[in-house]
Amino acid sequence: MAPLLTTRELKTFVVDEGHGVKGLSELDIKTLPELFIQPREKRLDMSKVVHHESIPVIDMSNSEDLDVIKMICDAAENWGFFQVVNHGVPLRVLDDVKDATKRFFSLPADEKKKYLFKNSPTKSVRLVSSFIPEVDKVLEWKDYLSCFYVSDDEAFAFWPSVCRDQLLEYMKESEPLIKRLLKVLITRLDISKLDETNKPFLMGSRRMNLNYYPKCPNPELTVGVGNHSDVSTLTILLQDETGGLYVRKLDTGNWVHVPPIKGSLTINIGDALQIMSNGRYKSIEHHVVANEHENRISVPIFVNPRPSDVIRPLPQVIERGEKALYKHVLYSDYVKHFYRKSHNGKDTIDFAKV
Ligand code: OGA
Ligand code: NI
């Protein structure tokens, strides 16, 4: 039986003591506490979910093939979201990082507590419940460990040892895929190669999150992650077999499910690439629904510009005669803006609009 806690005590238990939403879920509560009951407009509108469509699934085995190149660029323009199979990241590496995620979240609260922002000895690692618990009026049904890659030495010193090696391996093994995707995508922006002149702002930094969505007694009343777009250039997402990620279609505003496919990775365009491509590639709203019966994990790699980069529509795009839709923005300011407010659809990008 769950002890009766006030909302304030509950928030302390979840957010400040290392128990997380997972710890609450494990108390076997039968109804969702008010702290997590989202207003109707923040929940996924099930009447807008369509079942007869889904995001493209692209086989990358022959990624030099012109048809494949076209499929990738078309998917990035029309959907902003697609899955890739035969992507070259070994399945063993993906399995290992999923196991590592489960290992981290299985640690006792006292151990996990060390990674809360207030206790963590480094700014590059933080354990969080909800999205921004200091700002979110209603909490999201999710815990996540966020690791910003600074260097191998920094990771060895500060990342949790139960998942560090697997995360680093996942990051390194996914690098050829990331480069291939970016190289393909920039061809349509009239940029012929990925090199030192563009790599820093296309893929100059990485953040990896270990997401944990515990079983939820009333998933229909809350959200795993509310509607948002990512602030990355590209996001590479590994999800387990549970499902629950929904993507908003550009043309109709309806939602489609991203079905788990064994061994696949889900790719999405983030705000930074929407800005750099001057709106040609679209960063798309997405949402995670909580699950009544299963704990779900996912592991996104956010491929980002460096914090010190100024992002803007690329000169090659503007030279073609397009009018710039976005201003020059310091990437760290853009990210700060994202982390100032709760998830609210695609409104972050307004910060960069002309
Ligand atoms: C995210 C995200 C989706 C998922 O972490 O930004 O959208 O399936 N995650 O967990
Ligand atoms: Ni996201």
Side-chain angles (χ1 to χ4, degrees), residues 58-82:
I58 302 176
D59 185 336
M60 298 271 294
S61 354
N62 298 312
S63 72
E64 309 274 334
D65 200 291
L66 286 179
D67 289 341
V68 177
I69 292 176
K70 180 170 185 313
M71 269 196 267
I72 293 171
C73 294
D74 285 351
E77 275 193 30
N78 302 327
W79 286 89
F81 246 93
F82 51 99

PDB file of all heavy atoms in Angstrom, residues 58-82:
ATOM      1  N   ILE A  58      13.363   2.908 -43.895  1.00  0.00           N
ATOM      2  CA  ILE A  58      14.347   2.937 -44.982  1.00  0.00           C
ATOM      3  C   ILE A  58      15.466   1.935 -44.713  1.00  0.00           C
ATOM      4  O   ILE A  58      16.065   1.937 -43.634  1.00  0.00           O
ATOM      5  CB  ILE A  58      14.920   4.373 -45.141  1.00  0.00           C
ATOM      6  CG1 ILE A  58      13.761   5.356 -45.423  1.00  0.00           C
ATOM      7  CG2 ILE A  58      15.963   4.427 -46.259  1.00  0.00           C
ATOM      8  CD1 ILE A  58      14.172   6.811 -45.502  1.00  0.00           C
ATOM      9  N   ASP A  59      15.711   1.100 -45.708  1.00  0.00           N
ATOM     10  CA  ASP A  59      16.795   0.121 -45.627  1.00  0.00           C
ATOM     11  C   ASP A  59      18.079   0.818 -46.067  1.00  0.00           C
ATOM     12  O   ASP A  59      18.190   1.289 -47.206  1.00  0.00           O
ATOM     13  CB  ASP A  59      16.463  -1.062 -46.551  1.00  0.00           C
ATOM     14  CG  ASP A  59      17.481  -2.181 -46.441  1.00  0.00           C
ATOM     15  OD1 ASP A  59      18.638  -1.902 -46.038  1.00  0.00           O
ATOM     16  OD2 ASP A  59      17.125  -3.325 -46.774  1.00  0.00           O
ATOM     17  N   MET A  60      19.050   0.892 -45.160  1.00  0.00           N
ATOM     18  CA  MET A  60      20.284   1.637 -45.449  1.00  0.00           C
ATOM     19  C   MET A  60      21.399   0.740 -46.001  1.00  0.00           C
ATOM     20  O   MET A  60      22.539   1.201 -46.093  1.00  0.00           O
ATOM     21  CB  MET A  60      20.806   2.301 -44.170  1.00  0.00           C
ATOM     22  CG  MET A  60      19.887   3.321 -43.536  1.00  0.00           C
ATOM     23  SD  MET A  60      20.111   5.006 -44.153  1.00  0.00           S
ATOM     24  CE  MET A  60      21.765   5.408 -43.588  1.00  0.00           C
ATOM     25  N   SER A  61      21.090  -0.513 -46.345  1.00  0.00           N
ATOM     26  CA  SER A  61      22.202  -1.386 -46.783  1.00  0.00           C
ATOM     27  C   SER A  61      22.941  -0.820 -47.986  1.00  0.00           C
ATOM     28  O   SER A  61      24.145  -0.956 -48.080  1.00  0.00           O
ATOM     29  CB  SER A  61      21.767  -2.815 -47.115  1.00  0.00           C
ATOM     30  OG  SER A  61      20.459  -3.072 -46.819  1.00  0.00           O
ATOM     31  N   ASN A  62      22.190  -0.207 -48.910  1.00  0.00           N
ATOM     32  CA  ASN A  62      22.861   0.408 -50.056  1.00  0.00           C
ATOM     33  C   ASN A  62      22.674   1.920 -50.000  1.00  0.00           C
ATOM     34  O   ASN A  62      21.974   2.497 -50.821  1.00  0.00           O
ATOM     35  CB  ASN A  62      22.302  -0.138 -51.362  1.00  0.00           C
ATOM     36  CG  ASN A  62      22.538  -1.626 -51.469  1.00  0.00           C
ATOM     37  OD1 ASN A  62      23.649  -2.101 -51.242  1.00  0.00           O
ATOM     38  ND2 ASN A  62      21.480  -2.364 -51.767  1.00  0.00           N
ATOM     39  N   SER A  63      23.324   2.539 -49.038  1.00  0.00           N
ATOM     40  CA  SER A  63      23.000   3.945 -48.795  1.00  0.00           C
ATOM     41  C   SER A  63      23.611   4.893 -49.827  1.00  0.00           C
ATOM     42  O   SER A  63      23.360   6.092 -49.816  1.00  0.00           O
ATOM     43  CB  SER A  63      23.397   4.349 -47.379  1.00  0.00           C
ATOM     44  OG  SER A  63      24.785   4.423 -47.286  1.00  0.00           O
ATOM     45  N   GLU A  64      24.437   4.339 -50.756  1.00  0.00           N
ATOM     46  CA  GLU A  64      24.967   5.188 -51.837  1.00  0.00           C
ATOM     47  C   GLU A  64      23.985   5.223 -53.009  1.00  0.00           C
ATOM     48  O   GLU A  64      24.127   6.020 -53.937  1.00  0.00           O
ATOM     49  CB  GLU A  64      26.299   4.622 -52.371  1.00  0.00           C
ATOM     50  CG  GLU A  64      27.337   4.306 -51.313  1.00  0.00           C
ATOM     51  CD  GLU A  64      28.176   5.513 -50.953  1.00  0.00           C
ATOM     52  OE1 GLU A  64      28.313   6.405 -51.814  1.00  0.00           O
ATOM     53  OE2 GLU A  64      28.678   5.573 -49.818  1.00  0.00           O
ATOM     54  N   ASP A  65      23.052   4.321 -52.964  1.00  0.00           N
ATOM     55  CA  ASP A  65      22.069   4.182 -54.037  1.00  0.00           C
ATOM     56  C   ASP A  65      21.222   5.463 -54.154  1.00  0.00           C
ATOM     57  O   ASP A  65      20.750   5.992 -53.142  1.00  0.00           O
ATOM     58  CB  ASP A  65      21.176   3.010 -53.597  1.00  0.00           C
ATOM     59  CG  ASP A  65      20.423   2.396 -54.729  1.00  0.00           C
ATOM     60  OD1 ASP A  65      19.511   3.073 -55.249  1.00  0.00           O
ATOM     61  OD2 ASP A  65      20.742   1.251 -55.053  1.00  0.00           O
ATOM     62  N   LEU A  66      21.024   5.937 -55.367  1.00  0.00           N
ATOM     63  CA  LEU A  66      20.301   7.211 -55.542  1.00  0.00           C
ATOM     64  C   LEU A  66      18.871   7.143 -55.016  1.00  0.00           C
ATOM     65  O   LEU A  66      18.330   8.122 -54.512  1.00  0.00           O
ATOM     66  CB  LEU A  66      20.301   7.619 -57.019  1.00  0.00           C
ATOM     67  CG  LEU A  66      21.648   8.138 -57.541  1.00  0.00           C
ATOM     68  CD1 LEU A  66      21.550   8.501 -59.023  1.00  0.00           C
ATOM     69  CD2 LEU A  66      22.137   9.328 -56.723  1.00  0.00           C
ATOM     70  N   ASP A  67      18.254   5.955 -55.148  1.00  0.00           N
ATOM     71  CA  ASP A  67      16.886   5.799 -54.630  1.00  0.00           C
ATOM     72  C   ASP A  67      16.852   5.952 -53.109  1.00  0.00           C
ATOM     73  O   ASP A  67      15.924   6.533 -52.552  1.00  0.00           O
ATOM     74  CB  ASP A  67      16.332   4.399 -54.970  1.00  0.00           C
ATOM     75  CG  ASP A  67      16.055   4.272 -56.452  1.00  0.00           C
ATOM     76  OD1 ASP A  67      15.939   5.326 -57.118  1.00  0.00           O
ATOM     77  OD2 ASP A  67      15.970   3.125 -56.937  1.00  0.00           O
ATOM     78  N   VAL A  68      17.867   5.407 -52.476  1.00  0.00           N
ATOM     79  CA  VAL A  68      17.919   5.482 -51.007  1.00  0.00           C
ATOM     80  C   VAL A  68      18.161   6.933 -50.582  1.00  0.00           C
ATOM     81  O   VAL A  68      17.528   7.451 -49.658  1.00  0.00           O
ATOM     82  CB  VAL A  68      19.011   4.535 -50.447  1.00  0.00           C
ATOM     83  CG1 VAL A  68      19.116   4.661 -48.931  1.00  0.00           C
ATOM     84  CG2 VAL A  68      18.713   3.096 -50.854  1.00  0.00           C
ATOM     85  N   ILE A  69      19.057   7.585 -51.288  1.00  0.00           N
ATOM     86  CA  ILE A  69      19.343   8.991 -50.988  1.00  0.00           C
ATOM     87  C   ILE A  69      18.061   9.822 -51.109  1.00  0.00           C
ATOM     88  O   ILE A  69      17.737  10.639 -50.245  1.00  0.00           O
ATOM     89  CB  ILE A  69      20.455   9.516 -51.935  1.00  0.00           C
ATOM     90  CG1 ILE A  69      21.770   8.806 -51.579  1.00  0.00           C
ATOM     91  CG2 ILE A  69      20.588  11.035 -51.874  1.00  0.00           C
ATOM     92  CD1 ILE A  69      22.944   9.126 -52.484  1.00  0.00           C
ATOM     93  N   LYS A  70      17.320   9.569 -52.165  1.00  0.00           N
ATOM     94  CA  LYS A  70      16.069  10.309 -52.377  1.00  0.00           C
ATOM     95  C   LYS A  70      15.067  10.005 -51.259  1.00  0.00           C
ATOM     96  O   LYS A  70      14.399  10.905 -50.744  1.00  0.00           O
ATOM     97  CB  LYS A  70      15.488   9.938 -53.753  1.00  0.00           C
ATOM     98  CG  LYS A  70      14.191  10.657 -54.062  1.00  0.00           C
ATOM     99  CD  LYS A  70      13.769  10.473 -55.509  1.00  0.00           C
ATOM    100  CE  LYS A  70      12.536  11.279 -55.876  1.00  0.00           C
ATOM    101  NZ  LYS A  70      11.423  11.219 -54.957  1.00  0.00           N
ATOM    102  N   MET A  71      14.998   8.731 -50.872  1.00  0.00           N
ATOM    103  CA  MET A  71      14.054   8.361 -49.809  1.00  0.00           C
ATOM    104  C   MET A  71      14.372   9.088 -48.506  1.00  0.00           C
ATOM    105  O   MET A  71      13.467   9.546 -47.799  1.00  0.00           O
ATOM    106  CB  MET A  71      14.112   6.846 -49.556  1.00  0.00           C
ATOM    107  CG  MET A  71      13.139   6.050 -50.384  1.00  0.00           C
ATOM    108  SD  MET A  71      12.974   4.406 -49.692  1.00  0.00           S
ATOM    109  CE  MET A  71      14.214   3.541 -50.637  1.00  0.00           C
ATOM    110  N   ILE A  72      15.660   9.173 -48.192  1.00  0.00           N
ATOM    111  CA  ILE A  72      16.063   9.817 -46.934  1.00  0.00           C
ATOM    112  C   ILE A  72      15.706  11.311 -46.977  1.00  0.00           C
ATOM    113  O   ILE A  72      15.102  11.852 -46.050  1.00  0.00           O
ATOM    114  CB  ILE A  72      17.581   9.614 -46.679  1.00  0.00           C
ATOM    115  CG1 ILE A  72      17.865   8.129 -46.405  1.00  0.00           C
ATOM    116  CG2 ILE A  72      18.072  10.489 -45.530  1.00  0.00           C
ATOM    117  CD1 ILE A  72      19.340   7.757 -46.349  1.00  0.00           C
ATOM    118  N   CYS A  73      16.065  11.968 -48.080  1.00  0.00           N
ATOM    119  CA  CYS A  73      15.787  13.415 -48.171  1.00  0.00           C
ATOM    120  C   CYS A  73      14.280  13.681 -48.204  1.00  0.00           C
ATOM    121  O   CYS A  73      13.798  14.627 -47.560  1.00  0.00           O
ATOM    122  CB  CYS A  73      16.465  14.013 -49.397  1.00  0.00           C
ATOM    123  SG  CYS A  73      18.263  13.979 -49.316  1.00  0.00           S
ATOM    124  N   ASP A  74      13.541  12.857 -48.935  1.00  0.00           N
ATOM    125  CA  ASP A  74      12.078  13.029 -48.980  1.00  0.00           C
ATOM    126  C   ASP A  74      11.465  12.829 -47.596  1.00  0.00           C
ATOM    127  O   ASP A  74      10.577  13.590 -47.188  1.00  0.00           O
ATOM    128  CB  ASP A  74      11.436  12.023 -49.948  1.00  0.00           C
ATOM    129  CG  ASP A  74      11.668  12.399 -51.410  1.00  0.00           C
ATOM    130  OD1 ASP A  74      12.176  13.521 -51.660  1.00  0.00           O
ATOM    131  OD2 ASP A  74      11.352  11.579 -52.299  1.00  0.00           O
ATOM    132  N   ALA A  75      11.944  11.800 -46.875  1.00  0.00           N
ATOM    133  CA  ALA A  75      11.393  11.535 -45.539  1.00  0.00           C
ATOM    134  C   ALA A  75      11.670  12.719 -44.610  1.00  0.00           C
ATOM    135  O   ALA A  75      10.811  13.114 -43.818  1.00  0.00           O
ATOM    136  CB  ALA A  75      12.001  10.259 -44.967  1.00  0.00           C
ATOM    137  N   ALA A  76      12.869  13.294 -44.732  1.00  0.00           N
ATOM    138  CA  ALA A  76      13.224  14.421 -43.859  1.00  0.00           C
ATOM    139  C   ALA A  76      12.398  15.667 -44.193  1.00  0.00           C
ATOM    140  O   ALA A  76      12.093  16.478 -43.327  1.00  0.00           O
ATOM    141  CB  ALA A  76      14.715  14.720 -43.979  1.00  0.00           C
ATOM    142  N   GLU A  77      12.019  15.810 -45.463  1.00  0.00           N
ATOM    143  CA  GLU A  77      11.198  16.963 -45.862  1.00  0.00           C
ATOM    144  C   GLU A  77       9.736  16.781 -45.516  1.00  0.00           C
ATOM    145  O   GLU A  77       9.063  17.709 -45.093  1.00  0.00           O
ATOM    146  CB  GLU A  77      11.262  17.146 -47.394  1.00  0.00           C
ATOM    147  CG  GLU A  77      12.432  17.941 -47.859  1.00  0.00           C
ATOM    148  CD  GLU A  77      12.277  18.371 -49.328  1.00  0.00           C
ATOM    149  OE1 GLU A  77      11.147  18.563 -49.808  1.00  0.00           O
ATOM    150  OE2 GLU A  77      13.323  18.523 -49.983  1.00  0.00           O
ATOM    151  N   ASN A  78       9.231  15.572 -45.782  1.00  0.00           N
ATOM    152  CA  ASN A  78       7.780  15.382 -45.706  1.00  0.00           C
ATOM    153  C   ASN A  78       7.292  14.843 -44.372  1.00  0.00           C
ATOM    154  O   ASN A  78       6.136  15.022 -44.022  1.00  0.00           O
ATOM    155  CB  ASN A  78       7.315  14.436 -46.818  1.00  0.00           C
ATOM    156  CG  ASN A  78       7.706  14.972 -48.186  1.00  0.00           C
ATOM    157  OD1 ASN A  78       7.734  16.186 -48.387  1.00  0.00           O
ATOM    158  ND2 ASN A  78       8.049  14.093 -49.103  1.00  0.00           N
ATOM    159  N   TRP A  79       8.159  14.159 -43.673  1.00  0.00           N
ATOM    160  CA  TRP A  79       7.775  13.561 -42.401  1.00  0.00           C
ATOM    161  C   TRP A  79       8.600  14.081 -41.231  1.00  0.00           C
ATOM    162  O   TRP A  79       8.113  14.119 -40.111  1.00  0.00           O
ATOM    163  CB  TRP A  79       7.952  12.035 -42.454  1.00  0.00           C
ATOM    164  CG  TRP A  79       6.927  11.313 -43.258  1.00  0.00           C
ATOM    165  CD1 TRP A  79       6.975  11.041 -44.592  1.00  0.00           C
ATOM    166  CD2 TRP A  79       5.691  10.768 -42.779  1.00  0.00           C
ATOM    167  NE1 TRP A  79       5.857  10.344 -44.968  1.00  0.00           N
ATOM    168  CE2 TRP A  79       5.050  10.158 -43.875  1.00  0.00           C
ATOM    169  CE3 TRP A  79       5.074  10.714 -41.524  1.00  0.00           C
ATOM    170  CZ2 TRP A  79       3.815   9.525 -43.767  1.00  0.00           C
ATOM    171  CZ3 TRP A  79       3.847  10.079 -41.410  1.00  0.00           C
ATOM    172  CH2 TRP A  79       3.227   9.499 -42.522  1.00  0.00           C
ATOM    173  N   GLY A  80       9.861  14.409 -41.479  1.00  0.00           N
ATOM    174  CA  GLY A  80      10.758  14.810 -40.395  1.00  0.00           C
ATOM    175  C   GLY A  80      11.124  13.657 -39.476  1.00  0.00           C
ATOM    176  O   GLY A  80      11.864  13.839 -38.505  1.00  0.00           O
ATOM    177  N   PHE A  81      10.612  12.477 -39.757  1.00  0.00           N
ATOM    178  CA  PHE A  81      10.783  11.298 -38.899  1.00  0.00           C
ATOM    179  C   PHE A  81      10.821  10.066 -39.788  1.00  0.00           C
ATOM    180  O   PHE A  81       9.982   9.932 -40.685  1.00  0.00           O
ATOM    181  CB  PHE A  81       9.540  11.133 -38.000  1.00  0.00           C
ATOM    182  CG  PHE A  81       9.792  11.333 -36.536  1.00  0.00           C
ATOM    183  CD1 PHE A  81       9.600  12.594 -35.968  1.00  0.00           C
ATOM    184  CD2 PHE A  81      10.182  10.285 -35.714  1.00  0.00           C
ATOM    185  CE1 PHE A  81       9.788  12.786 -34.609  1.00  0.00           C
ATOM    186  CE2 PHE A  81      10.378  10.477 -34.345  1.00  0.00           C
ATOM    187  CZ  PHE A  81      10.175  11.730 -33.802  1.00  0.00           C
ATOM    188  N   PHE A  82      11.755   9.156 -39.561  1.00  0.00           N
ATOM    189  CA  PHE A  82      11.738   7.887 -40.294  1.00  0.00           C
ATOM    190  C   PHE A  82      12.508   6.845 -39.495  1.00  0.00           C
ATOM    191  O   PHE A  82      13.226   7.180 -38.549  1.00  0.00           O
ATOM    192  CB  PHE A  82      12.316   8.044 -41.710  1.00  0.00           C
ATOM    193  CG  PHE A  82      13.663   8.721 -41.797  1.00  0.00           C
ATOM    194  CD1 PHE A  82      14.841   7.985 -41.920  1.00  0.00           C
ATOM    195  CD2 PHE A  82      13.762  10.117 -41.776  1.00  0.00           C
ATOM    196  CE1 PHE A  82      16.088   8.618 -42.021  1.00  0.00           C
ATOM    197  CE2 PHE A  82      15.009  10.760 -41.862  1.00  0.00           C
ATOM    198  CZ  PHE A  82      16.160  10.008 -41.986  1.00  0.00           C
TER     199      PHE A  82
END
